[in-house]
Amino acid sequence: MQADGQMKTGRDLVIATLLGAEEWGVATAALVAGGCIMMRKCHLNTCPVGVATQDPELRKLFSGKPEDIVNLFQFLAEEMREIMAELGFRTINEMVGRAQFLKKREDIQHWKANKIDFSGILHVARNATGETLYNTEEQDHGMSMILDWGLVKQAKLALDTKTPVFGTFLVKNTDRTIGTLLSNEISKLYGAEGLPDNTINFKFEGSAGQSFGAFNTKGISFELEGEANDYVGKGLSGAQLAIYPAKVSTLVPHDNIIIGNVALYGATSGHLFINGMAGERFAVRNSGATAVVEGIGDHGCEYMTGGKALILGSTGRNFAAGMSGGIAWIYDINGTFRENCNQEMVDLDPLESEDETTIIALLKRHILLTNSERASYILNNWATEKVRFIKVFPREYKNVLRKKLVVA
Amino acid sequence: MQQEGLYNPEFEHDACGVGFVAHIKGQKSHAQVKDALTMLENMEHRGACGCDPESGDGAGIMIQLPHEFLWEECIKLGIQLEEPGYYGTGMVFLPKESELNQFCRTIIQEAAEERKMTFLGFRSVPVNRQGIGPTALGAEPEIIQFFVSRPDGVANTEEFERKLYVLRRLIIQKVKQKQSYPLPLYIASLSCKTIIYKGQLTTYQVGSYFEDLRDTRVVSAFGLVHSRFSTNTFPSWSLAQPFRMIAHNGEINTLTGNLNWFYAGVRSLSSPYFTAEEMEILLPIVDKGQSDSACLDNVVELLLHSGRSLPHVMLMLVPEAWDGNTQMDPLKRAFYEYHATLMEPWDGPAALCFTDGKTIGATLDRNGLRPLRYAITSDDRVVVASEAGALPIDESTIIKKGRQQPGKIFVVDMEAGLIRSDEEVKGELVRQQPYGEWLDNYKIKLEELAEPRVTFTYLSKESVFKYQQSFGYSREDLETILTPMAVTGYEPIGSMGTDVPLALLSDQPQHLSSYFKQFFAQVTNPPIDPIRERLVMSLATFIGNAGNILIEDKKFCHCVTLEHPILTSSELEKLRSIDTGVFQAKTLQSYFRADGKPGSLEAGIERLCRYADDAVRDGFEVIILSDRAIDSQHAAIPSILAVSAVHHHLIKTGNRGAVGLVVEAGDAWEVHHFACLLAFGATAINPYMALASIRTMREEGQLDTELTWDQLRKNYVKAVCNGLLKIFSKMGISTLQSYHGAQIFEVLGIDKEVVDKYFCGAVSRIGGLQLDDIAKEALAKHWRSFENNRSPKSLLPEGGVYQWKRRGEGHLWNPQTVHLLQQACRTDDFQTFKKYSALINNQKERIFTLRGLLDFAKHRTAISIDEVEPVSEIMKRFATGAMSFGSISHEAHSTLAIAMNRVGGKSNTGEGGEDELRYQKLPNGDSMRSAIKQVASGRFGVTSNYLTQADELQIKMAQGAKPGEGGQLPGHKVDEWIAKVRHSTPGVGLISPPPHHDIYSIEDLAQLIFDLKNANRDARINVKLVSKAGVGTIAAGVAKAHADVILIAGYDGGTEPLPSVRLNMQVFLGN
Amino acid sequence: MGKPTGFLEFDRAAPQKDAVESRKQNYQEFVHLFSEDQLNSQAARCMDCGIPFCHSGCPLGNVIPEFNDAVYDGKWEDAYNILSSTNNFPEFTGRICPAPCESACVLGINKSPVAIEEIEKHIIEIAYKKGYVKPNKIHLKTGKKIAVVGSGPSGLAAAAQLNKAGHDVVVYERDDKVGGLLRYGIPDFKLDKSVIDRRIEIMAESGIEFRTNAEVGNNVPASELSAYHAVVLAGGSTIPRNLNIPGRDLKGVHFAMEFLKQQNKRVGNSPINVAEITATDKNVLVIGGGDTGSDCVGTSNRHGAKSVTQFELMPQPPQTRTAAMPWPTYPMLLKTTTSHEEGCQRHWSISTKEFLGDAEGNLRGALVVDLEWETDALGRPTSFKEVEGSQREIPCELVTLAMGFLHPQHEGLLQQLGVTLDGRGNVQATENEYKTTADKIFVAGDMRRGQSLVVWAISEGRECARKVDEFLMGSTELESKEAVYNYA
């Protein structure tokens, strides 16, 4: 249990502890020790002491030193110790949650404050079983049986020697967060760089649980035959994910849902290919991943700041709300897209030649990975179908790219 | 569960997995039941368990009555059941204690006889307790069934269901007469069509516990299942779902208001389907002490039995976003608008599955905040669930896979044997009545009304100054609040939180609204983005008589409709002078005698309430509460008090639904003031003083703008409206109608009796001002302008809330404390630090914080300081706050990190990633790596490697300084460096959404914790919550979601972070 | 607020001053006013801090960010109203205040502080020009009569405030003209006496009665005060610190005030009834490194002194802040005043051992010695010893002693009233009450707190007036610099 919020002195911390906190956060006081003078202008980028600003000139004025902040925490701890000695506590742990060591001050004269009833705050909950009041047990995160242990085992050669590995696994909706632990292992060994593309090539069959491919990093290439739930490719960090319906399925992919809501949330890099429709908030806050999908729900590409989305089918309402960067191309077969797009921050433009190049390359890759019929159709009839594409281009992003061109 | 300490059962939340399996043609089979249970088991991870893993939070199943099975089982017990549809089956939880048990059984029989139903007998439901956890067993009731036969003259099953409904309410009523809450008896279902098996079980236990469910004779055309994840830590069998009509995954954020409005209208309830006697039995329809879902179920049930179809009822209660949707079919708009004049939406994230035994369906809230996936197979089965794949189906048989969309409905008509789509269902309902025509004929549009006969006199500069003084305006209010609102159309923004005293501790006479702290959504429901997702938001306002919700009548839409609740002075005059023959407004003077005598304010309020009664009796449709007519003898009743008092008084007398309550308020200028007024019952507000102040400033040349008065006024109103949307959305509420009367505030510093009388239902936990004290504060302002002044002032008071001012409000961070702290730290001087802390701690003269009012109670003898654990150990427990590189400079950020690494504490990346350069140690051995990596709603720079580099991962559910709001880093602040760290493009602005889009409820949070634990199993997962009433309950839920650390952050710095920490400590710390 | 980025765009600027040679020719003020643009950009430098340390640093509690903002927006009347809500006489403080506010200005942490004092001066000058400064005619009279003894800044502030509260106020001044130290202590080139006259006129029009040449305890019996409902003593700290060394009695050794007062009378065409002291063609030695010393320097130069030398016992202060004087405290830094610009030799760490005279008893020189100071860890001087062999004689024909003041004059008024004195010889009053030990008698300004700044004197006068009003009426509505609330 941690507590923070305007804690400034050792006394504050002791009270927090008696009320149940085992650890404490100190924010403002640490900033003040480092030179903040409470300008309350953090949002204006004009902080005159170089604390809350990115202005290079103003940043030079920052004069805080680590020693100042170390001193603050030493003082706070020392002050706590003084009070602890007075109250007869040897350790923090024995102090946690002992609200009976607090009482309302007896000398409150203030005409309003003297009406306060502290009984609720100072109430000491019954503890018939004599449980400790501080953290003594660890949470069981239910990870002992997860699929990823199998993945890590299968990927041993790749992890040790970067040799490509292959494997197939059956999944069901209770298999959640696939590939995340594996990615952790890769990051531990290889940092942000990860493994070379297509080093770990695993195929899954069935219905994947939530967070399929979450935070999956470079070197991973997953294929899922079947379907997936919410949060596919959340925080995608360089991996490639391809999802297509079961071979036996007779469904028309672009009319049927295959992955759930909120795919690619906060993704920074990597690829996602979906032969089918996705739910609401596809690619929300994507900042670098590239995605191909055959239809999506409401609020598509919301808050997107980078990356690419190729949507080969219908979108729901409020597409591109808060989208400040990246590009989306929509295959607007019904001519309904304009109505569904929130155009406050984006322009709807025709394709330029470089868009065409990118789209064609993505379509080819999509076909290769998911065997998409719609992609094949478009590619085969590119001359007639390309006019159906609308490019969604955030204005701010466009301006920045243009400026870069001018500079180059 | 009783209120204890700061705990209040009303703070409980839950969320869940939900779903059903149904045969489109209504074919019954046991396989259907089995499949439903399998589906339930596969949603285990959406439920939760408490301290003991074998006790679930609750799970259950609703199926059709298995007639053959029951008939055979009853024969064994000597009970002869009637034909299907001719007997009702009750599923009841009884207390085990024999006397009470017998008492309940007797009441059931008596009640049945009284309702002229033959009581057929009881059947004990066989259960298998193996593997059920001790917590659940400790609270296990005796589960029985009882059977009654259909009385003669009851024409059909619908009518019989209605009679059974009355019977159920009668049983409850009879128990209530003898027993207090919580009632010993709970009726899970009583129907001739359906039956519910549920309990405090895990998903796996439902099938094993109820032996009936394993019997192959138990057949049904559908199985509706639910698995619950509750923040609740106390055993409760009755809170398990499904309920009688619905199973709900989500949260009704507006419950208090919904219930208030519901109770406000019960007096006018009448229906051709119920006799007056029956109606009397049904009241109050919704019982106290139930969950939000249970309350919703009660209302669904009432509306259904009053003749509306189940889809109709669902659309009325959980409508899709219609206001402002220009693409919507006009007929559908009219349908929604007509129903909006009757009832406000029950708003919040909701995936709702519903059934009346013959049709089964699902609908989603307007925001689509809960997942619901479906599949239809070639052998006529429909599978709907929170997750795809929850029930394994042969892929080759699937002919359609989809997801439920925001605001859409989906119905399986098992009698007709077909699925009806959203378009079909709604297409039919919207044509039921000529709703559009009714609206055209009866709706009053203010802008179409003639100019008022009298216009209010223009206030001179002198009177404006006088009014400003008596309503408590400060220079800061004019300069930093009103001016930017009028000039830019937006609310001003500030930084660094607040360090001023709570209203209750301040010496300055306070605005009464300052005692009200807004709630905000965290974990259990998501805030909404009122800018980017404006299309779901609505400020539509209806002024007039709301009518009887049980019947459809064109007269009910005879009301004034407004786009938003802020009235300009000329609009108010129009409203004041409306006279359509049956629609008229009455103005009441909202003042009290300014004599400073005890009881004067109370007398003033009572007088106001009495006049309001008279106005309703005299048939006025609108009451205008005005505080314009103040003078040296009469002071204004603070508007929030006047409105809330009248609002609750009219609710108590059952008349609130009959009138619109408009406030002509001099003391409303900040958005918070408006939010308070609306949340405590005002229908519309005319802020005449705020508007006059802006006008005067413009005329005096004090506004540096070319804008005309008209533009300034529009801007101000726009700023208020936008601000209101922001406040609603922080709570996850989309419409003003739902916010109206929702009382989503914690009261800090008003006496409980006052709150119970005038703000009934609001949370007040530390006591505070009585009415005479409120009067005293009001008079301190009033007399500034109305006393015979010897030294009249030419300036308003400075204020000093947003900025330290010598004559203004006190701040703990002030020139002395900042200077002393910096001096102490720079010169390593503990003595100077002691001077600093003495200034902060010594709150004898001036009080800032609740903790300042506390003293240590010495129960032990002092020890030598040498015996206390060393500084070096204590310092490991410190963390710095989460501040992003982006909000603060690299220099400041890395200095904090180095310092924390030196002392063994933890610094925090804040939202926005971390430069990999900082993972390398510096030549002197220092490290700039932050031990805590934050995961916030923007997810900037959150990669596998970033997560791997953490000792602790912090999920920022809310931010103390601005809970429930997103953030925006403007393009000019995104330089090359920041863009690199955030994985974005330099120069392109970055918006953080208000919610985590992967956390709309508690079970989603559990999922994210699981994700992060997978991403770095060596890191502690920390969930940062912001303190508010009930945060302890949420924290308990978060602990159940497997967080390793919970951080309770202070709310606004002003409200104490600490009190709430107390709550439920054992429960989650022991876990 | 005005302009968020103003401090990044504009540097601190001072208004133009007349050239040294020309200004030395007369006794007029020589600092010009800012142009409108200059003033605007100076006001734009104010950062509207969350914690305005300036506002805290000002003894009057001037609400500086607010008036800066008003100036930036050109809202002159607002600026005047804000300023005058805390300060009765901005025209005095705007000219002669050492501006502790500027020392506390946040911008001063790493740049030059906002030119607050200049802005203050401009606000009031513009207010006079535009006619905002009007007599305060009160219709609600209380019928209470109050005597204020002393017409220096604290007496005047008390009188103005008490008049505002509806009382009848009579101000006694022993000199021929009202103003106290403002009139006869501060040279005209720093504070033109028309500035005082202008203010006194407004005060008189507001109903305040001024009685000059009326020294209570001397030509006015102290018993006359018993006719008043309350009395405010504001006589200042007038007894100067002496230098009791051999030769002190020589002709040509004077207290600074004797020298300055004469000159002010000369400029103001008032009769000087004592032997005249001039610096013309003399080598002048000013002992004391403070503002009064500096005034002696400027006046001597205007007299046409042959040379001007200023001594200070303490070591030369640093040019920038040291650890001992961190921001936002008022730092003891090396200060070069406009008078120093006009020509002066300055010596620090120097002690005068003896004044040397000629046969006629006229001063001809001083025997001086250099000092060596010990300092503490933070560099603060603690003790000194003379530097061996540094003793020398310097020629001088005029010495002014500007070493500060000790306490008020005890003879006459104070003795007759029988008020208790504190250990330092000032009139004793409880810290916040301003009430002396004698019935109905209050005290304010230097007479109470010892020698201090004009800005403190005004503050004392204002706060004392509140106490008097409260004493007479039971409550007061006069502004305070601190937060006060009235609940019934």
Side-chain angles (χ1 to χ4, degrees), chain A residues 124-312:
Chain A
V124 180
R126 281 162 296 143
N127 184 10
T129 49
E131 307 259 14
T132 59
L133 299 180
Y134 56 95
N135 179 231
T136 47
E137 283 174 43
E138 280 193 16
Q139 289 274 19
D140 174 6
H141 287 274
M143 284 173 48
S144 56
M145 303 288 281
I146 59 169
L147 185 64
D148 263 57
W149 296 117
L151 304 188
V152 171
K153 206 169 148 195
Q154 185 88 355
K156 187 166 188 317
L157 209 55
L159 291 170
D160 293 348
T161 66
K162 303 191 182 179
T163 311
V165 294
F166 299 85
T168 303
F169 303 85
L170 288 178
V171 291
K172 50 188 198 317
N173 76 314
T174 46
D175 294 319
R176 299 177 290 143
T177 318
I178 295 173
T180 309
L181 187 135
L182 175 62
S183 295
N184 177 226
E185 293 304 304
I186 298 173
S187 296
K188 276 198 260 183
L189 292 168
Y190 302 105
E193 204 167 301
L195 289 168
D197 283 346
N198 303 315
T199 304
I200 297 174
N201 305 282
F202 290 161
K203 186 185 172 187
F204 301 90
E205 289 169 12
S207 298
Q210 297 165 87
S211 302
F212 178 75
F215 306 109
N216 277 11
T217 192
K218 292 191 183 74
I220 288 180
S221 176
F222 282 174
E223 203 177 315
L224 169 62
E225 178 182 339
E227 62 186 342
N229 275 290
D230 294 350
Y231 322 134
V232 170
K234 172 200 290 192
L236 194 67
S237 308
Q240 172 177 285
L241 309 174
I243 302 175
Y244 50 85
K247 295 258 156 60
V248 295
S249 167
T250 55
L251 297 174
V252 179
H254 59 252
D255 285 335
N256 284 278
I257 201 94
I258 185 169
I259 68 167
N261 299 331
V262 191
L264 290 180
Y265 180 21
T268 47
S269 61
H271 288 82
L272 174 64
F273 295 92
I274 307 288
N275 185 3
M277 285 180 75
E280 322 315 325
R281 295 195 165 80
F282 184 80
V284 55
R285 257 293 301 115
N286 174 25
S287 55
T290 299
V292 182
V293 63
E294 313 218 328
I296 61 171
D298 291 353
H299 314 293
C301 297
E302 193 174 17
Y303 312 107
M304 190 156 122
T305 60
K308 301 183 180 78
L310 175 60
I311 294 152
L312 304 176

Side-chain angles (χ1 to χ4, degrees), chain B residues 131-430:
Chain B
I132 308 294
T135 317
L137 284 184
E140 187 199 27
E142 187 198 4
I143 302 178
I144 59 150
Q145 290 165 343
F146 74 88
F147 307 93
V148 292
S149 64
R150 178 157 133 185
D152 295 338
V154 171
N156 52 32
T157 51
E158 275 66 42
E159 203 181 329
F160 187 30
E161 286 288 285
R162 224 165 263 138
K163 301 288 175 202
L164 290 170
Y165 172 42
V166 175
L167 170 60
R168 198 184 82 224
R169 296 297 307 169
L170 181 64
I171 295 170
I172 297 297
Q173 208 179 65
K174 281 174 165 293
V175 174
K176 260 200 272 183
Q177 280 162 9
K178 299 267 167 61
Q179 295 287 329
S180 58
Y181 283 99
L183 298 180
L185 162 148
Y186 174 76
I187 305 176
S189 63
L190 173 54
S191 163
C192 65
K193 295 178 189 169
T194 57
I195 187 163
I196 295 168
Y197 288 86
K198 65 178 182 183
Q200 194 187 8
L201 302 164
T202 67
T203 58
Y204 290 100
Q205 292 166 353
V206 177
S208 69
Y209 179 79
F210 290 108
E211 293 185 356
D212 288 5
L213 293 174
R214 292 202 303 280
D215 195 303
T216 52
R217 292 169 297 164
V218 172
V219 296
S220 172
F222 70 84
L224 172 64
V225 293
H226 187 275
S227 123
R228 176 164 186 257
F229 187 138
S230 167
T231 58
N232 195 339
T233 46
F234 304 101
S236 169
W237 283 62
S238 58
L239 287 174
Q241 294 197 34
F243 291 112
R244 293 137 201 135
M245 297 289 147
I246 61 168
H248 171 214
N249 170 9
E251 173 98 13
I252 303 297
N253 299 330
T254 52
L255 188 72
T256 312
N258 293 131
L259 291 180
N260 272 341
W261 288 114
F262 188 80
Y263 293 134
V266 290
R267 294 282 151 144
S268 57
L269 290 184
S270 70
S271 165
Y273 293 96
F274 294 105
T275 64
E277 184 209 359
E278 284 174 328
M279 207 44 141
E280 207 52 43
I281 294 172
L282 293 178
L283 292 177
I285 311 290
V286 184
D287 282 323
K288 286 189 292 186
Q290 303 186 99
S291 66
D292 54 344
S293 313
C295 295
L296 178 61
D297 184 70
N298 290 161
V299 177
V300 170
E301 196 176 20
L302 172 73
L303 293 175
L304 174 79
H305 291 314
S306 307
R308 289 190 178 92
S309 70
L310 199 46
H312 189 164
V313 172
M314 299 315 296
L315 295 188
M316 187 168 160
L317 293 168
V318 189
E320 68 185 298
W322 58 271
D323 180 38
N325 183 352
T326 46
Q327 295 172 46
M328 190 180 271
D329 166 24
L331 280 178
K332 193 151 102 178
R333 258 185 84 90
F335 171 85
Y336 282 126
E337 188 173 355
Y338 171 78
H339 287 91
T341 68
L342 290 182
M343 189 174 236
E344 72 297 336
W346 290 55
D347 199 10
L352 285 161
C353 293
F354 52 84
T355 181
D356 58 4
K358 287 191 284 194
T359 59
I360 187 164
T363 186
L364 213 57
D365 64 89
R366 58 173 61 211
N367 294 298
L369 295 174
R370 302 311 303 135
L372 208 57
R373 301 272 291 265
Y374 64 82
I376 302 166
T377 66
S378 51
D379 55 355
D380 289 330
R381 290 195 307 151
V382 178
V383 179
V384 176
S386 295
E387 287 191 13
L391 179 65
I393 320 168
D394 178 356
E395 287 280 343
S396 63
T397 65
I398 297 177
I399 53 174
K400 175 78 192 164
K401 271 191 191 181
R403 75 191 192 290
Q404 194 59 328
Q405 293 176 43
K408 303 285 188 228
I409 197 165
F410 162 101
V411 176
V412 184
D413 186 335
M414 292 175 288
E415 275 192 339
L418 46 84
I419 293 178
R420 303 201 307 140
S421 69
D422 183 72
E423 293 80 43
E424 286 173 67
V425 174
K426 288 179 183 164
E428 198 172 297
L429 284 172
V430 302

Side-chain angles (χ1 to χ4, degrees), chain B residues 89 357 431 565 792 910 991:
Chain B
T89 304
R431 287 175 177 80
I991 301 168

Side-chain angles (χ1 to χ4, degrees), chain C residues 246-307:
Chain C
R248 170 66 184 85
D249 299 333
L250 291 168
K251 278 182 261 173
V253 181
H254 299 279
F255 284 117
M257 269 313 137
E258 299 173 46
F259 176 62
L260 294 175
K261 185 171 176 181
Q262 277 191 4
Q263 183 53 41
N264 283 348
K265 290 203 167 184
R266 212 170 278 128
V267 177
N269 295 321
S270 291
I272 302 166
N273 301 324
V274 290
E276 300 208 15
I277 309 164
T278 59
T280 319
D281 295 330
K282 287 177 184 159
N283 293 300
V284 180
L285 174 60
V286 178
I287 298 180
D291 284 331
T292 307
S294 174
D295 292 345
C296 292
V297 172
T299 305
S300 298
N301 273 321
R302 280 167 179 73
H303 278 201
K306 198 188 284 174
S307 76

Side-chain angles (χ1 to χ4, degrees), chain A residues 309-310 327-332 338 348-360 363 378 382-383 385-393:
Chain A
L310 175 60
I327 295 177
W329 302 279
I330 319 296
Y331 180 57
D332 185 23
R338 277 166 204 280
L348 301 187
D349 292 349
L351 297 188
E352 292 176 47
S353 67
E354 60 199 70
D355 296 315
E356 289 194 39
T357 319
T358 316
I359 293 173
I360 289 170
L363 287 172
I378 297 170
W382 182 245
E385 296 307 303
K386 72 177 184 187
V387 297
R388 297 184 192 266
F389 279 91
I390 295 175
K391 178 187 188 181
V392 181
F393 207 171

Side-chain angles (χ1 to χ4, degrees), chain C residues 128-373:
Chain C
Y128 269 113
K129 215 175 287 165
K130 293 190 182 274
Y132 302 145
V133 188
K134 285 187 278 249
N136 209 336
K137 287 196 177 138
I138 300 300
H139 304 291
L140 270 174
K141 297 299 271 186
T142 61
K144 305 280 182 192
K145 292 188 68 164
I146 298 166
V148 174
V149 183
S151 70
S154 67
L156 290 179
Q161 291 298 95
L162 289 167
N163 177 65
K164 194 172 170 185
H167 307 298
D168 293 320
V169 183
V170 179
V171 179
Y172 290 86
E173 171 55 52
R174 65 180 177 185
D175 243 312
D176 60 339
K177 283 183 182 172
V178 176
L181 200 89
L182 293 167
R183 183 171 298 273
Y184 289 132
I186 295 163
D188 284 74
F189 56 85
K190 277 171 73 183
L191 174 63
D192 196 287
K193 298 308 168 284
S194 65
V195 172
I196 304 173
D197 296 337
R198 179 176 70 178
R199 175 60 69 178
I200 301 302
E201 209 171 297
I202 299 259
M203 291 175 72
E205 275 181 58
S206 306
I208 299 171
E209 186 187 338
F210 291 98
R211 294 189 193 163
T212 51
N213 295 316
E215 184 170 3
V216 186
N218 187 1
N219 62 1
V220 177
S223 57
E224 189 180 312
L225 297 181
S226 57
Y228 293 93
H229 293 98
V231 176
V232 176
L233 304 180
S237 182
T238 49
I239 304 302
R241 179 173 282 117
N242 204 349
L243 187 62
N244 284 315
I245 55 171
R248 170 66 184 85
D249 299 333
L250 291 168
K251 278 182 261 173
V253 181
H254 299 279
F255 284 117
M257 269 313 137
E258 299 173 46
F259 176 62
L260 294 175
K261 185 171 176 181
Q262 277 191 4
Q263 183 53 41
N264 283 348
K265 290 203 167 184
R266 212 170 278 128
V267 177
N269 295 321
S270 291
I272 302 166
N273 301 324
V274 290
E276 300 208 15
I277 309 164
T278 59
T280 319
D281 295 330
K282 287 177 184 159
N283 293 300
V284 180
L285 174 60
V286 178
I287 298 180
D291 284 331
T292 307
S294 174
D295 292 345
C296 292
V297 172
T299 305
S300 298
N301 273 321
R302 280 167 179 73
H303 278 201
K306 198 188 284 174
S307 76
V308 183
T309 306
Q310 189 181 19
F311 278 7
E312 171 56 52
L313 187 72
M314 304 299 286
Q316 180 172 347
Q319 305 228 347
T320 52
R321 287 185 189 273
T322 63
M325 38 179 113
W327 176 88
T329 54
Y330 186 76
M332 285 308 182
L333 297 180
L334 177 66
K335 191 166 150 191
T336 302
T337 64
T338 52
S339 290
H340 293 133
E341 289 169 7
E342 290 156 9
C344 166
Q345 286 183 35
R346 303 170 78 182
H347 295 277
W348 287 272
S349 302
I350 192 162
S351 171
T352 312
K353 311 264 295 181
E354 185 181 348
F355 297 120
L356 308 168
D358 62 11
E360 282 93 62
N362 293 317
L363 178 72
R364 65 165 175 80
L367 192 64
V368 302
V369 65
D370 289 328
L371 304 176
E372 192 177 308
W373 283 88

